[in-house]
Amino acid sequence: MSYQFMPASESDAPQVLALIRDRIQWMRETGLRQWDAVDYWGFFPESYFFQAIADQRLYVVKETGGGRVACAGVLSFQDPDWTDGVPAVYLHNFAGARDAPGAGGFFLERGEEYARAHGRTRFRLDCMESNKKLNQYYERRGFRAVGRVEKPGYVGVQREKPLT
């Protein structure tokens, strides 16, 4: 399967929201604690995603040819949970389709390129501390644990990948 990375458009929003809903359901089914463990839609209502599209912060990976959204995530230049001033890109709301092998890795690679193109030295994200499988995935992709973030109902591992 080949993919394309691009800013999301408003017409992509229904697919992105469906993708996230599917991932939340999958987390419940498999017992992986992440978004299903918190009030996800309370923190990130649909309006958040439409604003991220308007701000050109929501990016998607689409299947070449068909145009189906296979993966999505919000890329930002700041995050209130990281206060060290290091120039970085922060990834949030990252979700890939269950039947799109490699789409998540493709997104992460393109996210690194995006960060470099914008003069950033780190690519950062966080993941629920108790989600061992996802933490191992990010470790394999070069994101090292560098801190913790704690919010009501959420304890996460802050991870970053240095960009050289």
mmCIF file of all heavy atoms in Angstrom, residues 33-77:
data_model
loop_
_atom_site.group_PDB
_atom_site.id
_atom_site.type_symbol
_atom_site.label_atom_id
_atom_site.label_comp_id
_atom_site.label_asym_id
_atom_site.label_seq_id
_atom_site.Cartn_x
_atom_site.Cartn_y
_atom_site.Cartn_z
ATOM 1 N N ARG A 33 -5.453 0.340 27.553
ATOM 2 C CA ARG A 33 -5.969 1.541 28.211
ATOM 3 C C ARG A 33 -5.278 2.772 27.635
ATOM 4 O O ARG A 33 -4.079 2.923 27.777
ATOM 5 C CB ARG A 33 -5.736 1.451 29.719
ATOM 6 C CG ARG A 33 -6.300 0.205 30.361
ATOM 7 C CD ARG A 33 -7.799 0.071 30.223
ATOM 8 N NE ARG A 33 -8.463 1.114 30.986
ATOM 9 C CZ ARG A 33 -9.726 1.475 30.798
ATOM 10 N NH1 ARG A 33 -10.448 0.910 29.888
ATOM 11 N NH2 ARG A 33 -10.250 2.424 31.530
ATOM 12 N N GLN A 34 -6.039 3.636 26.999
ATOM 13 C CA GLN A 34 -5.508 4.890 26.491
ATOM 14 C C GLN A 34 -6.678 5.865 26.414
ATOM 15 O O GLN A 34 -7.124 6.351 27.427
ATOM 16 C CB GLN A 34 -4.841 4.697 25.118
ATOM 17 C CG GLN A 34 -4.166 5.919 24.545
ATOM 18 C CD GLN A 34 -2.849 6.309 25.194
ATOM 19 O OE1 GLN A 34 -2.142 5.499 25.784
ATOM 20 N NE2 GLN A 34 -2.529 7.580 25.125
ATOM 21 N N TRP A 35 -7.216 6.090 25.261
ATOM 22 C CA TRP A 35 -8.307 7.051 25.115
ATOM 23 C C TRP A 35 -9.593 6.564 25.764
ATOM 24 O O TRP A 35 -10.412 7.370 26.199
ATOM 25 C CB TRP A 35 -8.576 7.344 23.654
ATOM 26 C CG TRP A 35 -7.430 8.004 22.949
ATOM 27 C CD1 TRP A 35 -6.371 8.664 23.518
ATOM 28 C CD2 TRP A 35 -7.235 8.086 21.556
ATOM 29 N NE1 TRP A 35 -5.532 9.138 22.558
ATOM 30 C CE2 TRP A 35 -6.036 8.800 21.332
ATOM 31 C CE3 TRP A 35 -7.946 7.627 20.460
ATOM 32 C CZ2 TRP A 35 -5.553 9.070 20.057
ATOM 33 C CZ3 TRP A 35 -7.463 7.901 19.196
ATOM 34 C CH2 TRP A 35 -6.279 8.610 19.009
ATOM 35 N N ASP A 36 -9.787 5.254 25.818
ATOM 36 C CA ASP A 36 -11.011 4.722 26.414
ATOM 37 C C ASP A 36 -11.007 4.880 27.937
ATOM 38 O O ASP A 36 -12.033 4.731 28.578
ATOM 39 C CB ASP A 36 -11.187 3.252 26.037
ATOM 40 C CG ASP A 36 -10.088 2.377 26.617
ATOM 41 O OD1 ASP A 36 -8.903 2.788 26.558
ATOM 42 O OD2 ASP A 36 -10.403 1.309 27.143
ATOM 43 N N ALA A 37 -9.847 5.204 28.501
ATOM 44 C CA ALA A 37 -9.726 5.322 29.959
ATOM 45 C C ALA A 37 -10.067 6.724 30.455
ATOM 46 O O ALA A 37 -10.145 6.945 31.655
ATOM 47 C CB ALA A 37 -8.304 4.954 30.386
ATOM 48 N N VAL A 38 -10.244 7.661 29.545
ATOM 49 C CA VAL A 38 -10.553 9.049 29.910
ATOM 50 C C VAL A 38 -11.760 9.513 29.097
ATOM 51 O O VAL A 38 -12.195 8.849 28.170
ATOM 52 C CB VAL A 38 -9.343 9.986 29.646
ATOM 53 C CG1 VAL A 38 -8.160 9.605 30.514
ATOM 54 C CG2 VAL A 38 -8.961 9.995 28.186
ATOM 55 N N ASP A 39 -12.272 10.662 29.436
ATOM 56 C CA ASP A 39 -13.375 11.264 28.679
ATOM 57 C C ASP A 39 -12.792 11.926 27.436
ATOM 58 O O ASP A 39 -12.677 13.146 27.361
ATOM 59 C CB ASP A 39 -14.121 12.267 29.561
ATOM 60 C CG ASP A 39 -15.257 12.970 28.828
ATOM 61 O OD1 ASP A 39 -15.700 12.464 27.764
ATOM 62 O OD2 ASP A 39 -15.687 14.025 29.306
ATOM 63 N N TYR A 40 -12.424 11.120 26.465
ATOM 64 C CA TYR A 40 -11.731 11.609 25.273
ATOM 65 C C TYR A 40 -12.486 12.743 24.592
ATOM 66 O O TYR A 40 -11.923 13.793 24.292
ATOM 67 C CB TYR A 40 -11.484 10.462 24.292
ATOM 68 C CG TYR A 40 -10.649 10.894 23.116
ATOM 69 C CD1 TYR A 40 -9.264 10.908 23.201
ATOM 70 C CD2 TYR A 40 -11.233 11.329 21.924
ATOM 71 C CE1 TYR A 40 -8.478 11.331 22.149
ATOM 72 C CE2 TYR A 40 -10.457 11.758 20.862
ATOM 73 C CZ TYR A 40 -9.079 11.750 20.982
ATOM 74 O OH TYR A 40 -8.312 12.184 19.931
ATOM 75 N N TRP A 41 -13.778 12.535 24.335
ATOM 76 C CA TRP A 41 -14.562 13.541 23.615
ATOM 77 C C TRP A 41 -14.822 14.774 24.472
ATOM 78 O O TRP A 41 -15.099 15.849 23.936
ATOM 79 C CB TRP A 41 -15.849 12.936 23.075
ATOM 80 C CG TRP A 41 -15.555 11.857 22.073
ATOM 81 C CD1 TRP A 41 -15.762 10.515 22.232
ATOM 82 C CD2 TRP A 41 -14.960 12.005 20.774
ATOM 83 N NE1 TRP A 41 -15.330 9.830 21.109
ATOM 84 C CE2 TRP A 41 -14.835 10.718 20.212
ATOM 85 C CE3 TRP A 41 -14.509 13.097 20.043
ATOM 86 C CZ2 TRP A 41 -14.293 10.500 18.941
ATOM 87 C CZ3 TRP A 41 -13.960 12.878 18.778
ATOM 88 C CH2 TRP A 41 -13.856 11.595 18.242
ATOM 89 N N GLY A 42 -14.691 14.648 25.785
ATOM 90 C CA GLY A 42 -14.771 15.811 26.653
ATOM 91 C C GLY A 42 -13.527 16.683 26.518
ATOM 92 O O GLY A 42 -13.606 17.910 26.526
ATOM 93 N N PHE A 43 -12.368 16.046 26.383
ATOM 94 C CA PHE A 43 -11.112 16.769 26.189
ATOM 95 C C PHE A 43 -10.977 17.276 24.753
ATOM 96 O O PHE A 43 -10.424 18.338 24.510
ATOM 97 C CB PHE A 43 -9.906 15.884 26.511
ATOM 98 C CG PHE A 43 -9.728 15.582 27.962
ATOM 99 C CD1 PHE A 43 -9.922 14.296 28.442
ATOM 100 C CD2 PHE A 43 -9.366 16.574 28.863
ATOM 101 C CE1 PHE A 43 -9.758 14.007 29.786
ATOM 102 C CE2 PHE A 43 -9.198 16.300 30.210
ATOM 103 C CZ PHE A 43 -9.396 15.004 30.669
ATOM 104 N N PHE A 44 -11.418 16.448 23.803
ATOM 105 C CA PHE A 44 -11.248 16.754 22.381
ATOM 106 C C PHE A 44 -12.586 16.631 21.651
ATOM 107 O O PHE A 44 -12.827 15.660 20.925
ATOM 108 C CB PHE A 44 -10.225 15.803 21.748
ATOM 109 C CG PHE A 44 -8.878 15.844 22.411
ATOM 110 C CD1 PHE A 44 -8.462 14.800 23.223
ATOM 111 C CD2 PHE A 44 -8.027 16.925 22.239
ATOM 112 C CE1 PHE A 44 -7.224 14.826 23.839
ATOM 113 C CE2 PHE A 44 -6.788 16.967 22.857
ATOM 114 C CZ PHE A 44 -6.384 15.916 23.663
ATOM 115 N N PRO A 45 -13.481 17.618 21.818
ATOM 116 C CA PRO A 45 -14.761 17.559 21.111
ATOM 117 C C PRO A 45 -14.537 17.701 19.599
ATOM 118 O O PRO A 45 -13.464 18.113 19.150
ATOM 119 C CB PRO A 45 -15.536 18.750 21.668
ATOM 120 C CG PRO A 45 -14.496 19.691 22.164
ATOM 121 C CD PRO A 45 -13.333 18.835 22.610
ATOM 122 N N GLU A 46 -15.553 17.364 18.834
ATOM 123 C CA GLU A 46 -15.433 17.449 17.376
ATOM 124 C C GLU A 46 -14.977 18.831 16.931
ATOM 125 O O GLU A 46 -14.198 18.961 15.980
ATOM 126 C CB GLU A 46 -16.748 17.067 16.707
ATOM 127 C CG GLU A 46 -17.045 15.590 16.821
ATOM 128 C CD GLU A 46 -18.287 15.165 16.054
ATOM 129 O OE1 GLU A 46 -18.857 15.983 15.285
ATOM 130 O OE2 GLU A 46 -18.683 14.000 16.208
ATOM 131 N N SER A 47 -15.405 19.874 17.627
ATOM 132 C CA SER A 47 -15.013 21.238 17.253
ATOM 133 C C SER A 47 -13.496 21.426 17.316
ATOM 134 O O SER A 47 -12.920 22.210 16.550
ATOM 135 C CB SER A 47 -15.713 22.256 18.151
ATOM 136 O OG SER A 47 -15.359 22.050 19.510
ATOM 137 N N TYR A 48 -12.822 20.702 18.216
ATOM 138 C CA TYR A 48 -11.363 20.758 18.308
ATOM 139 C C TYR A 48 -10.730 20.341 16.987
ATOM 140 O O TYR A 48 -9.783 20.971 16.506
ATOM 141 C CB TYR A 48 -10.895 19.852 19.456
ATOM 142 C CG TYR A 48 -9.436 19.478 19.430
ATOM 143 C CD1 TYR A 48 -8.477 20.310 20.009
ATOM 144 C CD2 TYR A 48 -9.010 18.283 18.848
ATOM 145 C CE1 TYR A 48 -7.134 19.962 19.992
ATOM 146 C CE2 TYR A 48 -7.669 17.926 18.827
ATOM 147 C CZ TYR A 48 -6.734 18.768 19.402
ATOM 148 O OH TYR A 48 -5.407 18.428 19.377
ATOM 149 N N PHE A 49 -11.262 19.283 16.379
ATOM 150 C CA PHE A 49 -10.700 18.775 15.128
ATOM 151 C C PHE A 49 -10.968 19.734 13.970
ATOM 152 O O PHE A 49 -10.095 19.940 13.116
ATOM 153 C CB PHE A 49 -11.220 17.366 14.849
ATOM 154 C CG PHE A 49 -10.704 16.374 15.840
ATOM 155 C CD1 PHE A 49 -11.435 16.056 16.972
ATOM 156 C CD2 PHE A 49 -9.458 15.796 15.683
ATOM 157 C CE1 PHE A 49 -10.949 15.172 17.918
ATOM 158 C CE2 PHE A 49 -8.954 14.912 16.628
ATOM 159 C CZ PHE A 49 -9.701 14.599 17.748
ATOM 160 N N PHE A 50 -12.144 20.339 13.947
ATOM 161 C CA PHE A 50 -12.430 21.318 12.896
ATOM 162 C C PHE A 50 -11.529 22.541 13.047
ATOM 163 O O PHE A 50 -11.076 23.101 12.042
ATOM 164 C CB PHE A 50 -13.912 21.696 12.894
ATOM 165 C CG PHE A 50 -14.768 20.644 12.256
ATOM 166 C CD1 PHE A 50 -15.457 19.724 13.036
ATOM 167 C CD2 PHE A 50 -14.871 20.555 10.879
ATOM 168 C CE1 PHE A 50 -16.236 18.739 12.452
ATOM 169 C CE2 PHE A 50 -15.647 19.571 10.280
ATOM 170 C CZ PHE A 50 -16.333 18.660 11.068
ATOM 171 N N GLN A 51 -11.241 22.947 14.283
ATOM 172 C CA GLN A 51 -10.322 24.064 14.489
ATOM 173 C C GLN A 51 -8.906 23.667 14.065
ATOM 174 O O GLN A 51 -8.184 24.468 13.471
ATOM 175 C CB GLN A 51 -10.332 24.529 15.944
ATOM 176 C CG GLN A 51 -9.532 25.797 16.174
ATOM 177 C CD GLN A 51 -10.072 26.972 15.381
ATOM 178 O OE1 GLN A 51 -11.244 27.311 15.482
ATOM 179 N NE2 GLN A 51 -9.218 27.599 14.570
ATOM 180 N N ALA A 52 -8.506 22.431 14.357
ATOM 181 C CA ALA A 52 -7.180 21.958 13.949
ATOM 182 C C ALA A 52 -7.064 21.932 12.424
ATOM 183 O O ALA A 52 -5.997 22.227 11.872
ATOM 184 C CB ALA A 52 -6.904 20.574 14.537
ATOM 185 N N ILE A 53 -8.151 21.621 11.731
ATOM 186 C CA ILE A 53 -8.146 21.670 10.265
ATOM 187 C C ILE A 53 -7.988 23.119 9.817
ATOM 188 O O ILE A 53 -7.158 23.424 8.947
ATOM 189 C CB ILE A 53 -9.430 21.042 9.683
ATOM 190 C CG1 ILE A 53 -9.416 19.526 9.903
ATOM 191 C CG2 ILE A 53 -9.563 21.369 8.197
ATOM 192 C CD1 ILE A 53 -10.741 18.844 9.604
ATOM 193 N N ALA A 54 -8.767 24.020 10.390
ATOM 194 C CA ALA A 54 -8.700 25.437 10.013
ATOM 195 C C ALA A 54 -7.306 26.009 10.260
ATOM 196 O O ALA A 54 -6.815 26.837 9.481
ATOM 197 C CB ALA A 54 -9.748 26.235 10.787
ATOM 198 N N ASP A 55 -6.662 25.555 11.334
ATOM 199 C CA ASP A 55 -5.314 26.025 11.687
ATOM 200 C C ASP A 55 -4.216 25.272 10.941
ATOM 201 O O ASP A 55 -3.028 25.525 11.178
ATOM 202 C CB ASP A 55 -5.068 25.864 13.191
ATOM 203 C CG ASP A 55 -5.965 26.740 14.036
ATOM 204 O OD1 ASP A 55 -6.538 27.718 13.510
ATOM 205 O OD2 ASP A 55 -6.109 26.422 15.238
ATOM 206 N N GLN A 56 -4.581 24.331 10.097
ATOM 207 C CA GLN A 56 -3.643 23.462 9.367
ATOM 208 C C GLN A 56 -2.688 22.739 10.308
ATOM 209 O O GLN A 56 -1.493 22.639 10.082
ATOM 210 C CB GLN A 56 -2.891 24.242 8.296
ATOM 211 C CG GLN A 56 -3.800 24.738 7.192
ATOM 212 C CD GLN A 56 -3.056 25.223 5.986
ATOM 213 O OE1 GLN A 56 -1.890 25.619 6.055
ATOM 214 N NE2 GLN A 56 -3.717 25.168 4.847
ATOM 215 N N ARG A 57 -3.270 22.187 11.390
ATOM 216 C CA ARG A 57 -2.504 21.381 12.343
ATOM 217 C C ARG A 57 -2.894 19.911 12.277
ATOM 218 O O ARG A 57 -2.168 19.056 12.770
ATOM 219 C CB ARG A 57 -2.703 21.893 13.776
ATOM 220 C CG ARG A 57 -2.128 23.268 14.029
ATOM 221 C CD ARG A 57 -2.290 23.738 15.477
ATOM 222 N NE ARG A 57 -3.688 23.803 15.874
ATOM 223 C CZ ARG A 57 -4.266 23.001 16.782
ATOM 224 N NH1 ARG A 57 -3.576 22.081 17.400
ATOM 225 N NH2 ARG A 57 -5.545 23.137 17.074
ATOM 226 N N LEU A 58 -4.058 19.600 11.703
ATOM 227 C CA LEU A 58 -4.484 18.207 11.564
ATOM 228 C C LEU A 58 -3.957 17.685 10.241
ATOM 229 O O LEU A 58 -4.245 18.248 9.180
ATOM 230 C CB LEU A 58 -6.008 18.085 11.622
ATOM 231 C CG LEU A 58 -6.570 16.670 11.479
ATOM 232 C CD1 LEU A 58 -6.071 15.752 12.591
ATOM 233 C CD2 LEU A 58 -8.092 16.701 11.470
ATOM 234 N N TYR A 59 -3.165 16.624 10.335
ATOM 235 C CA TYR A 59 -2.581 16.003 9.146
ATOM 236 C C TYR A 59 -3.138 14.604 8.993
ATOM 237 O O TYR A 59 -3.475 13.948 9.982
ATOM 238 C CB TYR A 59 -1.049 15.974 9.250
ATOM 239 C CG TYR A 59 -0.453 17.310 8.902
ATOM 240 C CD1 TYR A 59 -0.499 18.371 9.792
ATOM 241 C CD2 TYR A 59 0.112 17.524 7.646
ATOM 242 C CE1 TYR A 59 0.011 19.616 9.458
ATOM 243 C CE2 TYR A 59 0.628 18.755 7.303
ATOM 244 C CZ TYR A 59 0.573 19.803 8.215
ATOM 245 O OH TYR A 59 1.070 21.027 7.863
ATOM 246 N N VAL A 60 -3.207 14.176 7.747
ATOM 247 C CA VAL A 60 -3.713 12.845 7.447
ATOM 248 C C VAL A 60 -2.754 12.115 6.523
ATOM 249 O O VAL A 60 -1.998 12.734 5.771
ATOM 250 C CB VAL A 60 -5.124 12.887 6.803
ATOM 251 C CG1 VAL A 60 -6.157 13.411 7.788
ATOM 252 C CG2 VAL A 60 -5.130 13.701 5.522
ATOM 253 N N VAL A 61 -2.825 10.800 6.603
ATOM 254 C CA VAL A 61 -2.190 9.919 5.642
ATOM 255 C C VAL A 61 -3.333 9.276 4.877
ATOM 256 O O VAL A 61 -4.228 8.670 5.484
ATOM 257 C CB VAL A 61 -1.313 8.852 6.341
ATOM 258 C CG1 VAL A 61 -0.940 7.735 5.393
ATOM 259 C CG2 VAL A 61 -0.078 9.501 6.938
ATOM 260 N N LYS A 62 -3.302 9.460 3.561
ATOM 261 C CA LYS A 62 -4.342 8.891 2.714
ATOM 262 C C LYS A 62 -3.749 7.813 1.835
ATOM 263 O O LYS A 62 -2.581 7.887 1.425
ATOM 264 C CB LYS A 62 -4.969 9.972 1.823
ATOM 265 C CG LYS A 62 -5.795 10.970 2.570
ATOM 266 C CD LYS A 62 -6.481 11.905 1.589
ATOM 267 C CE LYS A 62 -7.416 12.856 2.297
ATOM 268 N NZ LYS A 62 -8.137 13.707 1.334
ATOM 269 N N GLU A 63 -4.570 6.827 1.536
ATOM 270 C CA GLU A 63 -4.155 5.800 0.599
ATOM 271 C C GLU A 63 -4.066 6.424 -0.790
ATOM 272 O O GLU A 63 -4.969 7.147 -1.212
ATOM 273 C CB GLU A 63 -5.156 4.656 0.598
ATOM 274 C CG GLU A 63 -5.202 3.923 1.915
ATOM 275 C CD GLU A 63 -6.277 2.855 1.975
ATOM 276 O OE1 GLU A 63 -7.209 2.878 1.135
ATOM 277 O OE2 GLU A 63 -6.188 2.010 2.877
ATOM 278 N N THR A 64 -2.981 6.172 -1.478
ATOM 279 C CA THR A 64 -2.807 6.687 -2.821
ATOM 280 C C THR A 64 -3.848 6.052 -3.732
ATOM 281 O O THR A 64 -4.068 4.851 -3.690
ATOM 282 C CB THR A 64 -1.387 6.382 -3.337
ATOM 283 O OG1 THR A 64 -0.450 6.936 -2.415
ATOM 284 C CG2 THR A 64 -1.153 6.967 -4.716
ATOM 285 N N GLY A 65 -4.488 6.879 -4.499
ATOM 286 C CA GLY A 65 -5.500 6.378 -5.431
ATOM 287 C C GLY A 65 -6.905 6.486 -4.892
ATOM 288 O O GLY A 65 -7.738 7.148 -5.476
ATOM 289 N N GLY A 66 -7.162 5.851 -3.761
ATOM 290 C CA GLY A 66 -8.514 5.848 -3.210
ATOM 291 C C GLY A 66 -8.851 7.051 -2.361
ATOM 292 O O GLY A 66 -9.998 7.448 -2.242
ATOM 293 N N GLY A 67 -7.852 7.643 -1.748
ATOM 294 C CA GLY A 67 -8.081 8.828 -0.941
ATOM 295 C C GLY A 67 -8.644 8.575 0.444
ATOM 296 O O GLY A 67 -8.967 9.511 1.154
ATOM 297 N N ARG A 68 -8.761 7.305 0.837
ATOM 298 C CA ARG A 68 -9.268 7.005 2.177
ATOM 299 C C ARG A 68 -8.248 7.439 3.223
ATOM 300 O O ARG A 68 -7.042 7.224 3.066
ATOM 301 C CB ARG A 68 -9.525 5.508 2.322
ATOM 302 C CG ARG A 68 -10.024 5.113 3.713
ATOM 303 C CD ARG A 68 -10.224 3.620 3.824
ATOM 304 N NE ARG A 68 -8.965 2.934 4.010
ATOM 305 C CZ ARG A 68 -8.692 2.129 5.043
ATOM 306 N NH1 ARG A 68 -9.592 1.896 5.975
ATOM 307 N NH2 ARG A 68 -7.523 1.529 5.124
ATOM 308 N N VAL A 69 -8.717 8.041 4.329
ATOM 309 C CA VAL A 69 -7.837 8.417 5.430
ATOM 310 C C VAL A 69 -7.438 7.146 6.173
ATOM 311 O O VAL A 69 -8.282 6.431 6.707
ATOM 312 C CB VAL A 69 -8.518 9.428 6.382
ATOM 313 C CG1 VAL A 69 -7.649 9.673 7.612
ATOM 314 C CG2 VAL A 69 -8.812 10.735 5.652
ATOM 315 N N ALA A 70 -6.138 6.874 6.198
ATOM 316 C CA ALA A 70 -5.615 5.681 6.855
ATOM 317 C C ALA A 70 -4.992 5.995 8.209
ATOM 318 O O ALA A 70 -4.801 5.100 9.030
ATOM 319 C CB ALA A 70 -4.587 5.003 5.954
ATOM 320 N N CYS A 71 -4.677 7.275 8.441
ATOM 321 C CA CYS A 71 -4.042 7.677 9.684
ATOM 322 C C CYS A 71 -4.207 9.182 9.825
ATOM 323 O O CYS A 71 -4.312 9.895 8.816
ATOM 324 C CB CYS A 71 -2.555 7.302 9.646
ATOM 325 S SG CYS A 71 -1.694 7.465 11.212
ATOM 326 N N ALA A 72 -4.232 9.666 11.069
ATOM 327 C CA ALA A 72 -4.376 11.101 11.312
ATOM 328 C C ALA A 72 -3.705 11.476 12.621
ATOM 329 O O ALA A 72 -3.547 10.643 13.511
ATOM 330 C CB ALA A 72 -5.858 11.484 11.360
ATOM 331 N N GLY A 73 -3.337 12.745 12.719
ATOM 332 C CA GLY A 73 -2.765 13.268 13.953
ATOM 333 C C GLY A 73 -2.661 14.783 13.890
ATOM 334 O O GLY A 73 -2.621 15.361 12.802
ATOM 335 N N VAL A 74 -2.626 15.393 15.051
ATOM 336 C CA VAL A 74 -2.494 16.839 15.155
ATOM 337 C C VAL A 74 -1.031 17.160 15.477
ATOM 338 O O VAL A 74 -0.467 16.615 16.424
ATOM 339 C CB VAL A 74 -3.430 17.412 16.244
ATOM 340 C CG1 VAL A 74 -3.180 18.894 16.458
ATOM 341 C CG2 VAL A 74 -4.889 17.158 15.865
ATOM 342 N N LEU A 75 -0.443 18.042 14.665
ATOM 343 C CA LEU A 75 0.939 18.472 14.844
ATOM 344 C C LEU A 75 0.943 19.932 15.297
ATOM 345 O O LEU A 75 0.325 20.785 14.650
ATOM 346 C CB LEU A 75 1.721 18.333 13.537
ATOM 347 C CG LEU A 75 1.845 16.910 12.992
ATOM 348 C CD1 LEU A 75 2.505 16.920 11.617
ATOM 349 C CD2 LEU A 75 2.625 16.019 13.949
ATOM 350 N N SER A 76 1.650 20.202 16.389
ATOM 351 C CA SER A 76 1.696 21.564 16.951
ATOM 352 C C SER A 76 3.130 21.939 17.279
ATOM 353 O O SER A 76 3.978 21.077 17.481
ATOM 354 C CB SER A 76 0.871 21.642 18.234
ATOM 355 O OG SER A 76 -0.465 21.287 17.988
ATOM 356 N N PHE A 77 3.364 23.250 17.372
ATOM 357 C CA PHE A 77 4.692 23.751 17.727
ATOM 358 C C PHE A 77 4.819 24.046 19.221
ATOM 359 O O PHE A 77 5.882 24.446 19.672
ATOM 360 C CB PHE A 77 5.026 25.010 16.932
ATOM 361 C CG PHE A 77 5.159 24.749 15.455
ATOM 362 C CD1 PHE A 77 4.432 25.501 14.557
ATOM 363 C CD2 PHE A 77 5.993 23.765 14.961
ATOM 364 C CE1 PHE A 77 4.541 25.279 13.194
ATOM 365 C CE2 PHE A 77 6.106 23.520 13.601
ATOM 366 C CZ PHE A 77 5.384 24.283 12.720
#
